[in-house]
Amino acid sequence: HTTQNKHSTSSIMSTTTTTTLVVGATGATGKHVVLQLLQQKQHVRAIARSKQRLLDTLHEISPNDASEEYADFLTVTEAAVLDLSDEELENLCSGCDACVSCLGHNMTFQGVFGKPRRLVTDAAKRICHAIETNQSKEKESKIQMVKFILMGSDGVANPNGQDEKRTFGERFLIFLLRYLIPPHRDNEAAAAYISGKTDNPNLEWTVIRPTDLIDGSVTKYELLPRPPGSLFGDGVATRSNVAKSMVDMILTQSLWDEWKFKMPVLHDLN
């Protein structure tokens, strides 16, 4: 029997105060993470190439929310994450309760086949290194536990081998994707790296694996321990629901405790 967590659109304003670093903040999913955290009056540090583009994007999603309301809660660092120095990244991670990576490759020829080919993996490695560098400077009794949330896809198998075995056709397609489409290989490498982070009890992680992504408003979603069906067209996941699951995990400790060190698959519920 598959355990399912079902979450609705009705959310009570959180009484928890957190600080979260979001990379890929102007992306199709990252922008929803930023907005939903701000709507919960949580502090957000966003890395984006353009602060104005991020503010415009947030206004497009939710025109009724005035950007002035975010001023006390949102800090934007204008940069590409891999262009930041180690010290700059350490400063951004310092004091954060969570770090969320919604990075992805632009679906253009340059985005798919150009550099950086290991954007997702290299960013995950550098963020984890920054977190652990900060922790190494803290007194043992005061080390801050940090949650790291990586956005993946259900086309990436869980490295622990506990997913259902794919059909020959699906395995062949994934083989082709791995060697022909660099972003898929990058997502696999990032998941493999994160799933190997088991040596630090103060760095907890999860990899959210949505099914076929679509745009739309927040509805209900479910989290499953493994892909339930075919790789081809088995359900959809609204990007705002993917963001909602990340925000829920940041703010709801019991949900985090259930899915930390795991790679849940996210589906919309009809």
Side-chain angles (χ1 to χ4, degrees):
H1 181 71
T2 300
T3 302
Q4 298 184 353
N5 287 351
K6 301 181 180 181
H7 297 272
S8 67
T9 56
S10 57
S11 57
I12 301 170
M13 186 66 70
S14 175
T15 56
T16 305
T17 301
T18 61
T19 299
T20 299
L21 175 69
V22 181
V23 296
T26 54
T29 302
K31 62 187 180 183
H32 291 286
V33 177
V34 172
L35 179 64
Q36 290 179 29
L37 284 168
L38 292 173
Q39 288 173 333
Q40 290 279 354
K41 298 291 190 286
Q42 303 300 311
H43 294 278
V44 178
R45 298 175 187 173
I47 300 175
R49 292 177 186 273
S50 166
K51 178 178 181 178
Q52 191 56 52
R53 183 186 165 206
L54 174 58
L55 294 175
D56 291 344
T57 299
L58 298 178
H59 181 72
E60 287 171 12
I61 304 172
S62 185
N64 295 328
D65 290 327
S67 59
E68 304 84 60
E69 295 178 19
Y70 304 148
D72 293 336
F73 297 95
L74 176 63
T75 304
V76 181
T77 298
E78 292 187 309
V81 62
L82 295 184
D83 290 342
L84 293 169
S85 69
D86 289 346
E87 184 179 5
E88 287 171 324
L89 203 50
E90 287 159 20
N91 288 337
L92 284 169
C93 291
S94 179
C96 284
D97 301 281
C99 295
V100 175
S101 175
C102 291
L103 287 169
H105 296 258
N106 292 326
M107 289 298 103
T108 62
F109 185 85
Q110 177 62 29
V112 171
F113 296 103
K115 295 180 179 181
R117 289 196 167 194
R118 291 172 55 88
L119 170 67
V120 180
T121 305
D122 289 347
K125 287 182 176 180
R126 292 199 59 205
I127 291 168
C128 288
H129 183 263
I131 292 168
E132 294 181 314
T133 299
N134 289 336
Q135 290 175 336
S136 71
K137 300 174 184 175
E138 297 168 353
K139 292 182 179 178
E140 192 168 335
S141 61
K142 295 184 177 180
I143 294 177
Q144 181 174 12
M145 195 282 290
V146 180
K147 301 173 180 178
F148 183 84
I149 301 175
L150 176 68
M151 180 173 172
S153 82
D154 70 340
V156 174
N158 192 327
N160 69 10
Q162 293 180 7
D163 285 354
E164 301 289 345
K165 188 174 181 180
R166 296 289 192 185
T167 65
F168 174 79
E170 290 172 333
R171 295 200 306 275
F172 182 68
L173 176 60
I174 290 172
F175 172 84
L176 292 177
L177 289 173
R178 182 178 302 131
Y179 290 100
L180 297 178
I181 309 296
H184 183 76
R185 189 160 64 247
D186 186 20
N187 286 332
E188 287 185 325
Y193 169 75
I194 292 299
S195 65
K197 295 295 293 179
T198 57
D199 57 338
N200 182 355
N202 295 303
L203 176 55
E204 299 180 345
W205 56 265
T206 188
V207 181
I208 308 291
R209 296 186 288 168
T211 54
D212 295 343
L213 287 162
I214 60 171
D215 291 321
S217 56
V218 176
T219 56
K220 293 183 179 181
Y221 67 84
E222 63 180 345
L223 296 172
L224 307 170
R226 61 186 60 86
S230 168
L231 185 64
F232 307 107
D234 194 70
V236 296
T238 306
R239 291 180 173 88
S240 56
N241 281 344
V242 178
K244 179 74 162 55
S245 73
M246 295 175 172
V247 173
D248 287 342
M249 286 193 188
I250 292 168
L251 299 180
T252 309
Q253 190 59 38
S254 59
L255 184 65
W256 178 257
D257 287 340
E258 181 167 1
W259 294 106
K260 66 183 180 182
F261 305 125
K262 298 177 182 177
M263 295 177 54
V265 173
L266 185 143
H267 281 241
D268 286 359
L269 281 170
N270 294 330

